[in-house]
Structures are given as C-alpha cells and as structure tokens.
Amino acid sequence: MQKGKFITIDGVEGAGKSTQIDFICQYLADKGVNVVLTREPGGTAIGEKIRTLLLSNSTGEMHADTELMLMFAARNEHIQSKIIPALAQGNWILSDRFTDASYAYQGGGRGLDVARIAQLEDWVLRAFTPDMTLLLDVSVDIGMKRVESRGKKDRIEQEDFDFFNRVREAYITRSKQHPERIKLINAMQTIAYTQQQIKVILDLL
Ligand code: Z5A
C-alpha cells in the first residue's frame, strides 16, 4: 500500500456509510495509510455551499437537471481543488459518495437519461475515476428503519419509498456495469459482517 488511491463509498440512506467510514480509516491507519476523508456533495468551501443549496428544505422545488448540474459543479470543484492535488502528493482519499450517486439518485431516482449524465461525467471527469468503490447495499425498508429516529429529513430524504427503490436498483445496475471497480457489499446484516467484507476488499488494494 504505497501509492495514492481514490476510494469512494456509496449506497442508499441507512446503508451504514458513516458507520463504516470510521472503520475504514482506522483499518487503513493500522496499515500505515493515512486517509483524507471527504464527501459529496461538498468537500470544499464552494462544494459545501452547493450542498446546502441542494439539501436545504428552504430551497424548495428544483428542476432535476439543475440538481444534476449542481452535483457536478460541486464535483468539479472537489476534483480540481482537492482530490487531484491530494492524490498527486501520494495521499489516499476516501469520499463519502461520488459520481455513482448521480447515476443512482438523479438517474434512477429522478429518472434522468443516463446518457446525459454520462455526457456530464465525460465533460467534468474526463477519464478520471475512483480506484475502488464500496457499494453498501441495503433494502430500502431496512435502511429507512435504521434512520427513522433521526430528526427532520432534508430535501432529498423526503422522497418516497419508490424513489429510493429506484435509487437502489440503479446502484446495483452500476455495479454490474463496472464489476472491477464497484464492489457490492451486503450491508443488511450486522455491522461486523459488513466490516468483514470491507476488509477483504481493502486487502486487494
Ligand atoms: N446525492 C445525490 O442525489 N447525487 C449525488 O451525486 C450525490 C449525492 C453525491 C447526501 O448524502 C444526499 O445527497 C443523499 C444523496 C444525495 N441524499 N439522500 N437521501 P449523505 O451521504 O450526506 O446522507 P445520507 O445518504 O443520508 O447518508 P447517511 O445519513 O450518512 O447514512 P449512512 O451513512 O448510510 O448511515 P449511518 O449513519 O452509518 O447509519 C445509519 C444508522 O444505522 C446508524 O444509527 C447506525 O448505527 C445504524 N447502522 C449502520 N449499519 C448498521 C447495521 N449493519 N446494522 C444495524 N444498524 C446499522
């Protein structure tokens, strides 16, 4: 484990990303790898402002194309000002969500044409892609139960069960299209079982 690597973690709400991120950082630190933790939308000063706009309920209705372009605007800033420079210095980066979320939420959830998302991806990312994506898969009912004790839902969390089912299906489709990069992890059992699967995958890097 010497060179900088770009790892992303994704999945529907309640899959346990935040829970597993702590574990991943500790597991890699124990191997002598320091990880720069970041997130999308966000990760930069500008990206965090865009995140607030995207998730705040006070934003109100937003056209799905606008939502998609704001995700990619935040992502462009993230890649150019944070991810690429950090990788160039040999750092490992772990991003809580990345481009697969746009295919899942704006493509699957909002029903935007995947070809248009791919055009934006080509434009913003060119050939840049994560070295590995950990996709935590959980059924929507289990995920929703896990987060139901949380307070008020944000603008996207307020979507219904069918929306999140489409999101989950789009993630699974992505994992089948990119089996080398996207590692589908069963996140429906115990936290320890999810960690066990993650360890095996991280050891491949
Ligand atoms: N979004 C988008 O639409 N398009 C894009 O391109 C991008 C993002 C990049 C922000 O995401 C929103 O942006 C998100 C997608 C959209 N909207 N939604 N909905 P976020 O990542 O900041 O927020 P989130 O999706 O709500 O993630 P989260 O709340 O952080 O959930 P999580 O990290 O997956 O779950 P957790 O906090 O680790 O766990 C939830 C609870 O479950 C907690 O009490 C844990 O202790 C428990 N848990 C975790 N694992 C287990 C297991 N295995 N068993 C039992 N209980 C567990």
Side-chain angles (χ1 to χ4, degrees):
M1 291 192 179
Q2 299 293 325
K3 267 177 58 219
K5 298 267 184 204
F6 180 36
I7 306 169
T8 65
I9 184 164
D10 240 303
V12 294
E13 217 202 350
K17 292 181 292 96
S18 307
T19 308
Q20 298 301 338
I21 280 168
D22 292 343
F23 166 75
I24 293 166
C25 290
Q26 189 57 55
Y27 186 71
L28 291 175
D30 290 346
K31 287 177 176 284
V33 177
N34 277 324
V35 179
V36 177
L37 182 59
T38 188
R39 69 172 182 181
E40 287 206 350
T44 64
I46 290 172
E48 292 294 327
K49 285 183 180 170
I50 297 174
R51 179 186 177 94
T52 302
L53 182 62
L54 279 161
L55 301 186
S56 169
N57 286 310
S58 64
T59 298
E61 288 277 306
M62 183 186 291
H63 193 281
D65 284 345
T66 310
E67 187 176 271
L68 177 71
M69 288 188 284
L70 284 173
M71 293 291 177
F72 272 96
R75 185 163 297 132
N76 186 61
E77 196 60 31
H78 196 201
I79 295 166
Q80 298 301 338
S81 73
K82 187 167 184 179
I83 298 175
I84 290 177
L87 286 172
Q89 291 178 350
N91 293 298
W92 284 47
I93 318 273
L94 175 59
S95 183
D96 184 349
R97 298 195 183 278
F98 196 62
T99 309
D100 297 305
S102 298
Y103 282 93
Y105 283 81
Q106 283 65 53
R110 301 279 189 229
L112 292 185
D113 183 357
V114 168
R116 296 187 73 194
I117 302 175
Q119 278 181 331
L120 263 182
E121 183 184 19
D122 284 349
W123 197 75
V124 172
L125 279 87
R126 292 159 222 182
F128 184 74
T129 192
D131 292 294
M132 179 174 282
T133 296
L134 303 167
L135 174 56
L136 303 189
D137 179 54
V138 71
S139 66
V140 176
D141 51 344
I142 292 178
M144 279 183 163
K145 279 199 190 86
R146 286 181 188 166
V147 298
E148 71 190 0
S149 60
R150 278 188 192 161
K152 205 166 175 279
K153 294 178 172 184
D154 68 33
R155 198 182 64 82
I156 297 179
E157 285 169 344
Q158 295 199 20
E159 292 299 332
D160 63 13
F161 189 90
D162 288 347
F163 175 93
F164 290 108
N165 248 332
R166 292 195 300 277
V167 170
R168 182 187 181 204
E169 286 308 315
Y171 271 130
I172 292 171
T173 300
R174 290 282 294 164
S175 74
K176 289 180 181 155
Q177 290 166 339
H178 303 278
E180 290 303 311
R181 172 176 66 83
I182 304 179
K183 308 297 180 192
L184 188 73
I185 293 167
N186 178 343
M188 288 179 270
Q189 313 296 325
T190 62
I191 291 172
Y193 181 62
T194 306
Q195 287 171 352
Q196 194 53 43
Q197 295 170 79
I198 290 174
K199 261 196 229 177
V200 171
I201 293 165
L202 290 179
D203 286 344
L204 297 173
L205 281 167

